[in-house]
Amino acid sequence: MSFSRSNFPAPAELAASRVAWMAQIAHPPLPPAVQAWMTWARGWKDALPWLQLPAWREGAGNRLAMQRATDAAGLWSQTGEYRFGLDLKASTPGDLRWIDGAVADGWSPHWLVLTHGLDGDPLIGDMSRPEVPVLWKWHDEPHRAARPLFASLEELMAHVQAKAARAPLVPRETRSSTIFYTVRLLELGPDPARVMLALRKIFTTLSAQELLKLKTRLPLTLLDDSVSALQKDRLVQHFEGLGARVEVSERRL
């Protein structure tokens, strides 16, 4: 039996199934650098610290979700959300099957999701090296597109701060060339289940009940007043590829 709107599994069921599949994978031991990261992250557990860096999201900065960065179970749980994707062709209600990104899409078994932006873009630690270099990618990119961000976990921690840095003044003569993009989801389209899965990767901090309510809150803002043309294009391509209808608006300084 294939999935339909009425029998598609709830987010809690998806999460439980993914955790069960993840438990079948042998996890490499966490190196000392990751142990230090977990200890450090406990100080930010109830905060949303800011990472400001030119190479990170085209310099747009981002709040980081740290709630699951404080222990091994949380780190492996959020890693599973990126490593495993639901196999819609092989799955049926009551028998969910998952595609392992380490087999199908370039995910390394040594990668660990350390944290992510509030819209789901992950920071990935490469545990194949003792200093644990940090990579990042847009959440809807193939895993193999992950790119270097920091040479070590220690360097990442040094760049996290409590508040966003004050934006530099833009010279008057260049202000008119700065474009801010807003992307809104207008309609879910013919396959709302797949669109809801995509929304789950964006609104990662919402509960299952809150996520389901998004269907009644269209139009829904996916990107708000961002200077990132790349992120705007990726969102539009991704959601239009799922059959959804999106709208892009622009404004200039």
Side-chain angles (χ1 to χ4, degrees):
M1 179 188 301
S2 60
F3 290 123
S4 65
R5 182 181 302 183
S6 61
N7 66 13
F8 195 82
E13 183 181 352
L14 291 170
S17 175
R18 184 173 52 243
V19 167
W21 276 65
M22 190 70 178
Q24 302 175 35
I25 304 297
H27 300 323
L30 299 181
V34 174
Q35 300 288 346
W37 165 261
M38 291 188 294
T39 300
W40 175 87
R42 292 183 188 115
W44 297 99
K45 182 177 181 180
D46 298 320
L48 293 172
W50 184 268
L51 175 61
Q52 182 79 35
L53 193 73
W56 163 243
R57 294 164 48 86
E58 298 180 350
N62 205 176
R63 296 286 179 186
L64 299 177
M66 303 295 291
Q67 292 86 349
R68 290 187 291 171
T70 60
D71 56 53
L75 289 172
W76 286 120
S77 173
Q78 64 186 8
T79 297
E81 293 178 4
Y82 292 89
R83 175 172 174 171
F84 289 93
L86 184 64
D87 189 337
L88 292 172
K89 293 182 179 180
S91 297
T92 60
D95 183 20
L96 302 182
R97 302 298 180 96
W98 297 85
I99 299 172
D100 186 351
V103 176
D105 193 23
W107 186 273
S108 168
H110 298 285
W111 285 0
L112 183 74
V113 175
L114 304 163
T115 181
H116 53 79
L118 298 189
D119 52 4
D121 299 331
L123 296 181
I124 303 167
D126 182 359
M127 298 189 296
S128 66
R129 295 167 57 183
E131 68 274 19
V132 187
V134 179
L135 315 172
W136 83 278
K137 73 181 192 73
W138 302 103
H139 62 272
D140 57 349
E141 278 187 313
H143 300 321
R144 61 178 63 90
R147 54 190 72 74
L149 185 63
F150 292 108
S152 67
L153 246 180
E154 184 178 8
E155 188 177 342
L156 165 61
M157 290 186 279
H159 281 79
V160 175
Q161 54 196 28
K163 297 181 180 179
R166 185 183 297 274
L169 292 176
V170 180
R172 184 179 300 275
E173 61 272 15
T174 64
R175 290 182 185 179
S176 61
S177 64
T178 303
I179 303 176
F180 294 82
Y181 302 98
T182 295
V183 180
R184 295 183 179 88
L185 175 65
L186 302 181
E187 296 178 3
L188 298 181
D191 196 351
R194 294 183 65 196
V195 176
M196 292 304 296
L197 276 178
L199 290 176
R200 180 69 181 89
K201 294 181 179 180
I202 295 177
F203 298 97
T204 57
T205 60
L206 296 184
S207 67
Q209 292 77 13
E210 291 170 331
L211 187 69
L212 290 174
K213 291 179 181 178
L214 293 181
K215 294 189 293 185
T216 65
R217 296 176 181 173
L218 301 179
L220 181 66
T221 299
L222 304 177
L223 184 68
D224 188 20
D225 219 25
S226 171
V227 297
S228 175
L230 178 60
Q231 190 176 14
K232 177 261 297 182
D233 291 340
R234 291 190 183 281
L235 283 170
V236 171
Q237 293 169 8
H238 184 56
F239 279 88
E240 287 186 344
L242 296 175
R245 188 162 72 91
V246 297
E247 173 188 71
V248 178
S249 59
E250 302 177 2
R251 75 172 182 88
R252 294 178 182 269
L253 282 177

